[in-house]
Amino acid sequence: MIWGIIRRNLASSQSVSRIKHPAIRPRGYGQNELLSNGKGCRHAVGSFSYCTSLGSQCCRAYSNKPRREITAMLRPEYFIPLRSRSFSSDTGDLVDAVVPFMGESITDGTLAKFLKNPGDRVEVDEPIAQIETDKVTIDVASPEAGTIQQLVAKEGETVEPGTKIAVISKSGEGVPQAAPPSQEKTASQPPPPAEKESIGKGTTKTETSSLKGKEKTLFPPQPAARAPSSPPKPSEPQLPPKERERRVPMTRLRKRVATRLKDSQNTFAMLTTFNEVDMTNLMKLRSDYKDAFVEKHGVKFGFMSGFVKATVSALQYQPVVNAVIDGDDIIYRDYIDISIAVGTPKGLVVPVIRNSDQMNFAEIEKNINTLAKKATAGTISIDEMAGGTFTISNGGVYGSLLSMPIINPPQSAILGMHSIVTRPMVVGGNIVPRPMMYIALTYDHRLIDGREAVYFLRRIKDVVEDPRRLLLDV
């Protein structure tokens, strides 16, 4: 760090000029000595004495040793002042809360609402705002523990990843404090109106009232003339007042679902075919093994796993239903990822059960329960909804008897399940009550013909009515 020129001088007396500055004591020397008067710093190494004073000459005599003078020039860029600095915002007190990365296919979102207000205390990773995207709702977490100092963005704005939405003070200094409610009420109440003064100079309220009474006596009011009767106007329809209406903006998820469903109608040549399924044997299978199933696998045995397995079998028998049109080509997919439509308070989401053809009943039930809980809580990720080759929509949980589901692009078909209703059926020449379910397949008629669609539903019907076919693969 020190660049200097050492010269020898045998003269015994010579003035030494020094410049006063803060002393620096470098590390790594065995013998360091600081002048008592604070004017410079000397580091004795052997018989030499180095002075770190800028442009100074240092001299020290050693017993029975020649005197040596050293001129050292310290470069200013290497000079490091050792002084304390007060803590302020530019040293890291203020931290920005920014919009996180939202997924590969998502470039922006809408700032739905703030969960915190200026002056509120937040902890690390505590959500302070919610961002609505086309698919999921994402929380903006606090990067540090502190107090919300300022909300930079506004609710309803479109934000991108990295956009600053709030400023957090780790020390809590400079944060505006809300006024107490009592003061706000006092400030909002208008002052009492002042009493009206008397009319005219020297006239009191009593005198004014007496004058008005005399005027009424001298000039009694004349009866008003009757207006000529006009013909009655025809009655107009009474519309509800605007105060009874509420206008709420659509969420990003709702707008995205609406756009995709309308694009599906405009793109696909959709056709729906129906069939009915006797649920007797599947319900008996569930009733016989539900307790053992829960005891071993820790999850309930539901109808969805049975229909997923039946759908996998039908897709393997009719692979064109699992295919998709891409331009002038048809892409046949040798994997089966079943999408399950789940209705949430914020909109419809479709999580995907990947590699469904490689799962058993228990694994399918576990995946369905996990994804359904995440979708309802709003914590499902983009990756868990991406892809999918075929969709199952179970409107029967809401009591739907019959419907025509809409294809989930870019897939080519969707299966609709409905409620189970006990109806009289002819079995072996006898009329008996049976738990029946209508099932519907909506498909893209550009790719799938009616023959394949009917065979597809027939395979689902056969497997659900006789689950032993899955064991024997027949």
Side-chain angles (χ1 to χ4, degrees):
M1 295 175 59
I2 301 176
W3 176 75
I5 303 173
I6 304 177
R7 60 189 180 86
R8 298 175 179 271
N9 191 352
L10 300 178
S12 59
S13 62
Q14 187 173 355
S15 61
V16 180
S17 62
R18 294 183 175 88
I19 300 175
K20 185 176 181 181
H21 70 91
I24 303 177
R25 304 181 66 182
R27 301 177 181 176
Y29 293 96
Q31 298 176 355
N32 293 340
E33 183 179 353
L34 180 65
L35 290 179
S36 60
N37 55 8
K39 294 182 179 180
C41 178
R42 294 175 177 175
H43 311 289
V45 180
S47 61
F48 291 92
S49 176
Y50 297 93
C51 177
T52 61
S53 299
L54 183 61
S56 64
Q57 295 179 350
C58 303
C59 176
R60 181 172 180 178
Y62 290 85
S63 58
N64 300 326
K65 294 183 179 180
R67 298 176 179 177
R68 301 179 180 181
E69 297 179 358
I70 302 171
T71 302
M73 292 183 291
L74 183 64
R75 297 184 182 180
E77 59 267 24
Y78 294 135
F79 181 73
I80 305 174
L82 302 178
R83 49 187 170 186
S84 61
R85 189 174 186 179
S86 60
F87 186 81
S88 60
S89 62
D90 56 357
T91 60
D93 177 49
L94 298 183
V95 181
D96 296 336
V98 299
V99 178
F101 176 72
M102 297 181 287
E104 293 292 342
S105 60
I106 299 178
T107 58
D108 57 15
T110 302
L111 181 56
K113 62 178 179 179
F114 281 102
L115 305 178
K116 299 292 182 180
N117 298 318
D120 292 348
R121 178 71 183 178
V122 293
E123 301 298 332
V124 179
D125 296 333
E126 183 178 359
I128 62 176
Q130 288 184 341
I131 306 295
E132 286 187 351
T133 66
D134 297 341
K135 298 181 179 180
V136 294
T137 301
I138 299 174
D139 291 334
V140 180
S142 174
E144 298 286 346
T147 306
I148 302 293
Q149 186 185 60
Q150 182 185 5
L151 300 179
V152 179
K154 296 181 180 179
E155 294 182 355
E157 289 185 353
T158 300
V159 293
E160 299 178 352
T163 303
K164 181 172 67 173
I165 64 170
V167 179
I168 300 173
S169 174
K170 293 190 290 186
S171 64
E173 297 178 357
V175 177
Q177 300 294 334
S182 59
Q183 297 180 2
E184 294 180 359
K185 291 182 180 179
T186 305
S188 61
Q189 292 179 355
E195 295 182 357
K196 296 183 179 180
E197 298 182 356
S198 60
I199 304 173
K201 294 184 179 180
T203 305
T204 62
K205 293 182 179 180
T206 306
E207 294 175 354
T208 304
S209 60
S210 61
L211 290 174
K212 290 181 179 180
K214 292 179 180 179
E215 290 177 0
K216 289 181 180 180
T217 305
L218 296 176
F219 305 99
Q222 299 294 330
R226 287 187 177 183
S229 60
S230 57
K233 296 181 179 181
S235 60
E236 298 180 356
Q238 298 295 326
L239 299 177
K242 295 296 183 180
E243 292 76 9
R244 298 177 60 184
E245 298 178 352
R246 293 184 297 114
R247 183 182 295 271
V248 179
M250 293 178 65
T251 62
R252 290 287 294 258
L253 179 59
R254 174 59 59 188
K255 289 190 291 186
R256 181 60 176 171
V257 170
T259 302
R260 287 177 62 85
L261 293 180
K262 190 58 184 175
D263 291 343
S264 177
Q265 286 185 329
N266 296 336
T267 303
F268 299 140
M270 289 190 293
L271 184 62
T272 305
T273 183
F274 302 91
N275 212 320
E276 58 181 355
V277 179
D278 188 347
M279 299 291 293
T280 302
N281 291 331
L282 184 59
M283 294 177 67
K284 185 177 185 303
L285 178 67
R286 179 190 182 191
S287 177
D288 292 342
Y289 295 99
K290 62 179 181 179
D291 295 335
F293 193 88
V294 172
E295 183 179 356
K296 181 175 181 180
H297 301 291
V299 64
K300 293 182 179 180
F301 183 21
F303 295 137
M304 280 301 299
S305 58
F307 273 90
V308 170
K309 294 292 291 185
T311 300
V312 168
S313 178
L315 290 174
Q316 291 172 343
Y317 271 72
Q318 301 294 331
V320 68
V321 182
N322 200 44
V324 64
I325 294 178
D326 185 15
D328 295 333
D329 301 328
I330 299 176
I331 300 177
Y332 288 90
R333 292 171 286 201
D334 297 330
Y335 59 94
I336 299 177
D337 293 345
I338 302 296
S339 303
I340 305 296
V342 179
T344 66
K346 296 183 178 181
L348 181 68
V349 295
V350 190
V352 180
I353 304 176
R354 305 194 184 281
N355 300 318
S356 303
D357 53 327
Q358 302 176 11
M359 294 183 180
N360 55 28
F361 284 84
E363 292 172 341
I364 293 174
E365 289 290 350
K366 291 178 181 178
N367 277 270
I368 292 175
N369 290 342
T370 301
L371 294 174
K373 290 179 180 178
K374 288 184 178 181
T376 304
T379 58
I380 193 169
S381 65
I382 300 296
D383 296 336
E384 292 172 323
M385 295 190 298
T389 62
F390 186 85
T391 298
I392 299 177
S393 176
N394 186 10
V397 296
Y398 308 112
S400 173
L401 179 63
L402 194 62
S403 67
M404 300 171 60
I406 299 178
I407 298 174
N408 179 26
Q411 301 172 11
S412 300
I414 180 173
L415 175 68
M417 298 170 53
H418 301 91
S419 59
I420 301 173
V421 179
T422 302
R423 299 200 302 269
M425 304 297 295
V426 178
V427 179
N430 299 320
I431 300 177
V432 294
R434 290 287 190 176
M436 304 299 294
M437 173 193 289
Y438 287 119
I439 57 176
L441 177 70
T442 301
Y443 57 96
D444 186 0
H445 209 345
R446 301 176 304 167
L447 175 63
I448 305 170
D449 295 330
R451 173 177 174 270
E452 286 80 9
V454 172
Y455 282 167
F456 181 89
L457 280 187
R458 282 296 306 269
R459 179 61 184 177
I460 292 179
K461 173 182 173 65
D462 294 341
V463 171
V464 173
E465 291 183 346
D466 188 3
R468 294 175 298 179
R469 290 178 176 269
L470 293 175
L471 179 63
L472 300 177
D473 191 19
V474 293

